[in-house]
Amino acid sequence: MSTIPSAIARRAFLRRSAVASLSAGAAATAPDAARASTATRPERPGRLPREVWIATIAQDGMTGTTPAALTRETLARMEAAAAQQPDLVCLPEMFLFPGGAGSRPPVREIAETPLGDLAAPFVAFAKSHQCYVAYSGYTVEAGRYYNAVVLIDRQGRPCGEYRKTYPTVGEMEYGVSPGPLQPPVFETDFGRVGAQICFDVEWHDGWRRLRDAGAEIVCFPSAFAAGRAVNMRACQNQLVVASSTRKDTSKIVDVTGETLAATSRWNRWACAAVNLEKTFLHTWPFNARFPDIQSKYGRDVVITTYAEEEWSIIESRSPDVRVADILREFELETYADTMARAELLQIEKRRPT
């Protein structure tokens, strides 16, 4: 176990170097999207320090045919979800223009510099309800148009913008440009948030880059539900994923790939709490320390093991216990660190002697 601290330090250095290299390569086309929000998280009695309430809005069942009508219908569902006091509300892809790209006005007529007139009602909602809103729309910069997610903070200001990395052929023929390969991560008052959009689900690299850059929650606005692929991406990368779709099911998925809440024809919005004060471990060999952890912390720490996958999750249920402290105290490493340590040794062993 004595090799773990040095391995973790080495891996952290390599991860920082890789992310910095990717970010530098994308700097010419990336917006200033990783800016930290200065919003303050509202105090709510009884809530754990890293407990985050996420709401997702489905577009199924809406009848509006204009942006104004769809704005009213969307806000009505958001107002209903607001009773749950969400920290983050996710909206569907291009929900104000639900037809295909070919049926919309020219992109130059509806693209905005964030945050414009189309986004204004959702800015007002974020300010009124003191929550973040993941808003989907077309944006423009230097004559290029993007399918984007703009994260609005609790004060109604943009935290930053994610530009769809993998637009469809139809979108590109419509005039949409691909975004940078390195997606930004937004610093919020509850954790680190990233985004992927619709067709992005067909590629693994964007999700992995978000994970490696420290994202904890990924907003996934989409024209289609993507079904099991959403759960798969969450599980593969140990990310919380909130999908918000124009048709079928929108859902909130935990790091294990399990659906925590979902919409249906009976409920057009869903809300769930996630606790970010937890970490993924490879069960062996760290399971040998689990009895000691449980003996010391009792109900303040929950350890959940998925036997066949040999995954374990250590979760703090106390405002006074931090998982990072448990990792140090019991010489544990995260699942990501375990895998990176193996990869480093694999690289070394492949080198010619």
Side-chain angles (χ1 to χ4, degrees), residues 40-54 84-88 129-132 154 189-190 271-277 316-320 322:
T40 302
R41 191 180 191 207
E43 290 291 335
R44 286 173 187 154
R47 181 163 68 171
L48 292 170
R50 303 209 66 208
E51 180 180 300
V52 184
W53 284 79
I54 304 172
Q84 302 295 313
Q85 297 182 305
D87 295 290
L88 172 64
H129 294 284
Q130 296 186 65
C131 65
Y132 290 78
R154 298 185 199 269
D189 55 36
F190 54 77
C271 191
V274 297
N275 181 17
L276 298 182
E277 192 59 43
S316 170
R317 301 298 300 173
S318 167
D320 301 320
R322 293 291 181 267

Side-chain angles (χ1 to χ4, degrees), residues 105-175:
V107 67
R108 65 180 180 275
E109 295 180 8
I110 56 178
E112 299 185 313
T113 300
L115 293 158
D117 291 342
L118 290 170
F122 305 96
V123 169
F125 179 93
K127 292 170 68 174
S128 173
H129 294 284
Q130 296 186 65
C131 65
Y132 290 78
V133 174
Y135 171 83
S136 172
Y138 291 119
T139 63
V140 58
E141 183 181 45
R144 286 180 173 264
Y145 302 98
Y146 301 97
N147 180 341
V149 173
V150 179
L151 187 64
I152 305 168
D153 75 10
R154 298 185 199 269
Q155 296 170 338
R157 300 176 303 193
C159 296
E161 174 185 344
Y162 166 70
R163 295 168 174 174
K164 189 174 184 178
T165 304
Y166 295 109
T168 65
V169 171
E171 286 181 292
M172 290 183 284
E173 291 175 343
Y174 176 59

Side-chain angles (χ1 to χ4, degrees), residues 64-85:
T65 58
T66 66
L70 288 164
T71 293
R72 289 192 294 272
E73 288 188 85
T74 303
L75 286 172
R77 292 186 183 181
M78 294 171 72
E79 288 290 347
Q84 302 295 313
Q85 297 182 305

Side-chain angles (χ1 to χ4, degrees), residues 32-266:
D32 181 18
R35 185 169 57 251
S37 170
T38 58
T40 302
R41 191 180 191 207
E43 290 291 335
R44 286 173 187 154
R47 181 163 68 171
L48 292 170
R50 303 209 66 208
E51 180 180 300
V52 184
W53 284 79
I54 304 172
T56 180
I57 307 298
Q59 194 160 19
D60 246 359
M62 292 188 187
T63 59
T65 58
T66 66
L70 288 164
T71 293
R72 289 192 294 272
E73 288 188 85
T74 303
L75 286 172
R77 292 186 183 181
M78 294 171 72
E79 288 290 347
Q84 302 295 313
Q85 297 182 305
D87 295 290
L88 172 64
V89 180
C90 301
L91 302 179
E93 182 188 23
M94 294 302 160
F95 63 99
L96 297 181
F97 303 96
S103 67
R104 297 170 188 165
V107 67
R108 65 180 180 275
E109 295 180 8
I110 56 178
E112 299 185 313
T113 300
L115 293 158
D117 291 342
L118 290 170
F122 305 96
V123 169
F125 179 93
K127 292 170 68 174
S128 173
H129 294 284
Q130 296 186 65
C131 65
Y132 290 78
V133 174
Y135 171 83
S136 172
Y138 291 119
T139 63
V140 58
E141 183 181 45
R144 286 180 173 264
Y145 302 98
Y146 301 97
N147 180 341
V149 173
V150 179
L151 187 64
I152 305 168
D153 75 10
R154 298 185 199 269
Q155 296 170 338
R157 300 176 303 193
C159 296
E161 174 185 344
Y162 166 70
R163 295 168 174 174
K164 189 174 184 178
T165 304
Y166 295 109
T168 65
V169 171
E171 286 181 292
M172 290 183 284
E173 291 175 343
Y174 176 59
V176 170
S177 295
L181 289 174
Q182 178 61 37
V185 174
F186 312 128
E187 294 287 346
T188 73
D189 55 36
F190 54 77
R192 294 176 293 278
V193 177
Q196 295 281 275
I197 300 174
C198 197
F199 206 37
D200 287 336
V201 79
E202 307 293 351
W203 281 264
H204 180 55
D205 61 303
W207 301 83
R208 182 167 185 171
R209 285 172 176 155
L210 282 173
R211 180 198 70 190
D212 289 346
E216 299 168 285
I217 297 171
V218 173
C219 300
F220 178 63
S222 183
F224 78 119
R228 287 175 290 182
V230 176
N231 303 68
M232 177 181 69
R233 293 302 184 202
C235 176
Q236 282 177 327
N237 299 286
Q238 293 93 56
L239 295 165
V240 173
V241 179
S243 72
S244 183
T245 65
R246 295 217 314 260
K247 62 181 180 182
D248 300 322
T249 304
S250 299
K251 56 190 173 184
I252 300 157
V253 181
D254 206 356
V255 294
T256 58
E258 295 172 297
T259 298
L260 300 175
T263 63
S264 71
R265 65 193 177 100
W266 304 108

